[in-house]
Amino acid sequence: MAMATSTQLSSSLFHSQITKKPFLLPPAAAPNSVHGFSTRRLKSLSLSHHSSVSASAASSAVDVTEPVKKPVRTLPFRVGHGLDLHRLEPGYPLIIGGIDIPHDRGCEAHSDGDVLLHCVVDAILGALGLPDIGQIFPDSDPKWKGAASSVFIKEAVRLMDEAGYEIGNLDATLILQRPKISPHKETIRSNLSKLLGADPSVVNVKAKTHEKVDSLGENRSIAAHTVILLMKK
């Protein structure tokens, strides 16, 4: 039914005063409505308006333009992988795991070329989600010229401790054709454990040849892979 206008209501009221007839509201303006609007609808509009005002006030109280910072997720453990490879050239010492291994060739590198320690450092940095060893200790920096790789290990361990992690276990594999690593394996493992501050039981070092294939098998290079598990302290 059409809503009664203000003019129609005024005309009806004036007519009732002249004729002495009681003034009756039109059906659309029944006791539960005001000017054709249901009081229930009016209440709904009022509540809606009140909610909008409240929401607006709440929004103004908080600067919503600022990005919400999500908390950094702390993982119970982290896994990292390291890989390193160096050319073997005459006139250089062959240092593996901080141990000088007798050989007619050694690693050509900016530092001491310790292929095992380099890949262990990369494994730790990778597990922590940090840049690789070349970015943290660039070979373009003269202060690392001929530096002992134990310096790099100590820094990686410091970063690990700072992040609240410790070594769960480490597994490393050396790949070279010569010399045989078996006679030196336990010495290498013991020294590596000491540098890492880890129990020797969680540090494993393996060695294998490359079956005389490519530069590794032809005794022109040496490589190492490391997988490490870091546990939250």
Side-chain angles (χ1 to χ4, degrees):
M1 183 178 290
M3 180 180 66
T5 65
S6 177
T7 304
Q8 289 173 327
L9 290 172
S10 300
S11 176
S12 299
L13 178 58
F14 178 73
H15 179 74
S16 69
Q17 290 173 344
I18 295 175
T19 60
K20 305 301 181 183
K21 290 182 179 179
F23 172 63
L24 299 175
L25 289 172
N32 287 332
S33 62
V34 177
H35 294 303
F37 282 91
S38 167
T39 54
R40 192 173 295 174
R41 172 64 174 159
L42 287 173
K43 288 179 181 178
S44 174
L45 289 171
S46 175
L47 288 172
S48 176
H49 175 70
H50 178 71
S51 299
S52 299
V53 172
S54 299
S56 177
S59 296
S60 63
V62 180
D63 188 1
V64 294
T65 59
E66 290 186 3
V68 178
K69 293 182 179 179
K70 294 183 179 179
V72 177
R73 186 180 180 192
T74 302
L75 299 174
F77 59 85
R78 287 176 170 269
V79 176
H81 172 258
L83 165 66
D84 197 34
L85 181 144
H86 286 289
R87 279 199 310 271
L88 290 173
E89 297 288 351
Y92 291 91
L94 180 60
I95 301 172
I96 301 176
I99 304 300
D100 196 336
I101 308 296
H103 192 45
D104 60 349
R105 299 184 179 198
C107 292
E108 182 184 11
H110 186 68
S111 63
D112 64 1
D114 193 324
V115 68
L116 177 58
L117 295 192
H118 288 183
C119 81
V120 169
V121 169
D122 252 355
I124 294 173
L125 296 176
L128 296 174
L130 297 175
D132 60 51
I133 188 172
Q135 290 178 267
I136 297 179
F137 307 104
D139 58 12
S140 57
D141 192 334
K143 74 178 178 181
W144 305 124
K145 178 68 176 176
S149 296
S150 58
V151 173
F152 309 149
I153 281 282
K154 288 174 182 176
E155 177 61 11
V157 169
R158 186 191 70 79
L159 292 170
M160 178 181 67
D161 288 338
E162 192 176 79
Y165 288 89
E166 61 184 355
I167 294 176
N169 76 296
L170 178 151
D171 186 33
T173 302
L174 292 164
I175 307 173
L176 70 166
Q177 197 66 32
R178 296 192 305 273
K180 294 294 182 182
I181 296 299
S182 299
H184 313 285
K185 191 183 296 183
E186 283 307 310
T187 306
I188 291 171
R189 187 169 75 99
S190 176
N191 193 58
L192 178 59
S193 302
K194 188 184 299 182
L195 290 171
L196 293 169
D199 190 285
S201 65
V202 301
V203 176
N204 188 42
V205 177
K206 308 187 301 295
K208 61 188 305 177
T209 68
H210 218 237
E211 300 297 335
K212 299 183 180 180
V213 176
D214 63 35
S215 66
L216 288 166
E218 293 170 359
N219 194 35
R220 293 187 290 111
S221 64
I222 177 175
H225 288 264
T226 296
V227 177
I228 194 167
L229 172 68
L230 302 185
M231 307 290 293
K232 193 67 181 174
K233 291 181 180 179

